Amino acid sequence: MTNSTGRRPIGIVLNGVTGRMGYRQHLVRSLLAIRADGGLPLRDGTVLWPEPVLVGRNERKLEDIAARHGLADWTTDLHAALDRDDVSIYFDALTTQRREKAISTAIEAGKHIYTEKPLAMDVEGALSLARAAAAAGVKNGVVADKIFLPGLRKLKRLVDSGFFGRVLSVRCEFGYWVFEGDWQAAQRPSWNYRREDGGGVVLDMFPHWHYVLEHLFGRVRAVQCTTATHVPRRWDEDGVEYQATADDAAYAIFELDDGVIAQFNSSWAVRVFRDELVEFQVDGTHGSAVAGLRHCRAQARAATPKPVWDPDLPPDVDQRGDWAQVPDNERFDNGFRVQWEAFLRHVASDEPFPWDFAAAARGVQLAELGLRAAGEGRRIEIPELA
């Protein structure tokens, strides 16, 4: 229903909004940013107006966030929030361990679901949610923020233009040093390092790498992986020492369609000596490119220098200088906001949204099989999910 101001309100339960990602990226930089710009215009001329309902376990934090942003709707009672007729969407930014139960509750309440990844702790849980959402007829989606980064959008432009010719390989370096928490506070929550709480770099990052690879290059067909817990002792938010039981680094090889080989190093125990916290290098027969969060550089076949290996002479070539910047050519909004707008249009106007629970289940499957490959020390082919 459109109100007297010409806006069409849409109620959105935000569960886990007191967390870093739920607050900063999803509430402030996405939904509140949409409101600050006057709402989200739809193709029929109406303007969609997000109405956040903040949900969490800490009353003080919820009240503080609401007051800070002029919001009045918050509660610690998820069931009461989902029972409301003026709520259409449930968004989940909880820890992985708590996500499946909360999403199941929202599906039973008949709400459309948008959630952070991974969708569940294992592939069976993810498939169960996908089947339940399909049976209930609710629209569903999972955050795929990396493909909305300016650097990867430029990289996608190169792929779509045929710049690379035949793609040969993809290499990704991701990560940074996460402080142990004793002499300097850690910049990631302690549950990330406890497997029993859903932690681990594989479960956290492989669903990301899955949708990135699938979006840009094709299906992932096999995986080999070595994992490590490089930093076994850490200190939590209260300064209490604990044993890290989850992997904090993963070194993987993914085999893709058409013989493309992807090598991905993911680590929370590495110091950064690269331009950005994540970099993807794509090499093809006709050209190569390196993309980060914001920037993308390319080198075409005709502009490729002719290196000669000679360790006895100092280098006389500026290797980085031979790469050209891929221009913006458009304005890039916050990637989380861009995907929120796409999901809202999916719910309100039935526009396409390919990053659904079925796609997310394949990402969880890759993480699960990556851990299995690491545990068994072998290459594992990835079967189709029913």
Side-chain angles (χ1 to χ4, degrees):
M1 180 180 294
T2 304
N3 62 28
S4 59
T5 64
R7 295 170 177 165
R8 177 180 165 187
I10 182 166
I12 304 170
V13 167
L14 295 169
N15 195 7
V17 74
T18 57
R20 180 176 59 92
M21 293 295 290
Y23 172 72
R24 183 184 305 169
Q25 296 293 355
H26 294 287
L27 177 64
V28 175
R29 296 181 181 173
S30 296
L31 296 178
L32 294 185
I34 291 171
R35 284 163 58 111
D37 288 340
L40 178 64
L42 301 179
R43 293 183 187 275
D44 63 5
T46 60
V47 175
L48 205 61
W49 186 255
E51 292 284 5
V53 180
L54 311 183
V55 175
R57 294 182 293 179
N58 189 310
E59 288 189 17
R60 182 187 58 78
K61 289 183 179 180
L62 288 171
E63 188 174 19
D64 176 66
I65 291 171
R68 195 183 313 155
H69 297 286
L71 302 172
D73 231 341
W74 61 270
T75 180
T76 58
D77 190 337
L78 175 61
H79 292 275
L82 292 174
D83 282 343
R84 291 173 46 165
D85 293 333
D86 61 343
V87 165
S88 301
I89 296 173
Y90 170 75
F91 173 72
D92 192 288
L94 298 175
T95 58
T96 306
Q97 189 183 41
R98 297 165 56 208
R99 180 163 295 141
E100 187 176 343
K101 180 179 179 181
I103 290 178
S104 295
T105 301
I107 292 173
E108 292 171 4
K111 307 304 180 185
H112 305 299
I113 316 291
Y114 186 45
T115 178
E116 269 287 353
K117 50 103 287 287
L119 179 58
M121 292 277 286
D122 54 45
V123 69
E124 283 306 316
L127 287 173
S128 176
L129 291 177
R131 293 173 184 135
V138 298
K139 292 182 168 68
N140 53 89
V142 176
V143 172
D145 59 289
K146 301 294 182 289
I147 60 176
F148 296 99
L149 291 167
L152 286 192
R153 291 175 68 182
K154 296 173 190 177
L155 187 61
K156 180 72 161 82
R157 190 192 305 158
L158 294 176
V159 171
D160 292 344
S161 73
F163 169 83
F164 295 105
R166 180 169 61 87
V167 175
L168 306 174
S169 64
V170 183
R171 280 178 286 164
C172 173
E173 288 288 342
F174 163 80
Y176 46 92
W177 188 267
V178 177
F179 286 98
E180 298 90 330
D182 51 351
W183 71 281
Q184 189 159 327
Q187 61 271 46
R188 295 186 65 87
S190 59
W191 70 265
N192 283 171
Y193 301 93
R194 292 189 291 266
R195 178 168 292 186
E196 59 273 20
D197 292 336
V201 75
V202 170
L203 187 57
D204 187 50
M205 296 310 302
F206 277 30
H208 280 302
W209 305 150
H210 178 269
Y211 68 69
V212 167
L213 291 169
E214 194 173 77
H215 178 69
L216 289 170
F217 307 109
R219 280 304 217 7
V220 184
R221 299 300 182 182
V223 58
Q224 302 174 58
C225 185
T226 296
T227 62
T229 305
H230 288 308
V231 182
R233 293 167 57 245
R234 291 183 176 272
W235 284 257
D236 66 16
E237 292 77 6
D238 297 319
V240 177
E241 183 180 353
Y242 67 95
Q243 188 75 20
T245 55
D247 47 282
D248 58 17
Y251 310 93
I253 296 177
F254 306 121
E255 299 173 32
L256 279 58
D257 287 336
D258 301 322
V260 177
I261 303 298
Q263 305 171 68
F264 276 59
N265 292 335
S266 312
S267 177
W268 292 322
V270 61
R271 293 178 177 88
V272 179
F273 188 68
R274 64 186 101 93
D275 291 339
E276 302 192 63
L277 295 185
V278 63
E279 284 188 346
F280 301 85
Q281 177 163 337
V282 182
D283 290 297
T285 55
H286 290 178
S288 299
V290 176
L293 298 171
R294 300 204 60 83
H295 301 292
C296 184
R297 299 174 178 86
Q299 187 176 83
R301 177 170 58 173
T304 302
K306 190 176 183 179
V308 177
W309 176 261
D310 190 341
D312 299 319
L313 294 177
D316 60 356
V317 176
D318 179 8
Q319 301 288 0
R320 290 176 180 247
D322 288 327
W323 293 67
Q325 285 279 0
V326 178
D328 288 355
N329 286 355
E330 61 181 298
R331 177 178 176 270
F332 295 112
D333 280 328
N334 175 280
F336 289 90
R337 172 178 174 170
V338 172
Q339 196 179 5
W340 257 110
E341 291 178 349
F343 186 74
L344 290 173
R345 290 192 175 102
H346 178 56
V347 170
S349 305
D350 206 30
E351 293 189 18
F353 191 88
W355 307 283
D356 59 9
F357 282 8
R362 295 195 296 274
V364 175
Q365 178 193 38
L366 181 62
E368 189 171 289
L369 293 181
L371 288 170
R372 182 178 161 194
E376 298 177 5
R378 67 185 182 94
R379 171 184 177 274
I380 294 180
E381 294 188 359
I382 300 172
E384 297 284 348
L385 286 180

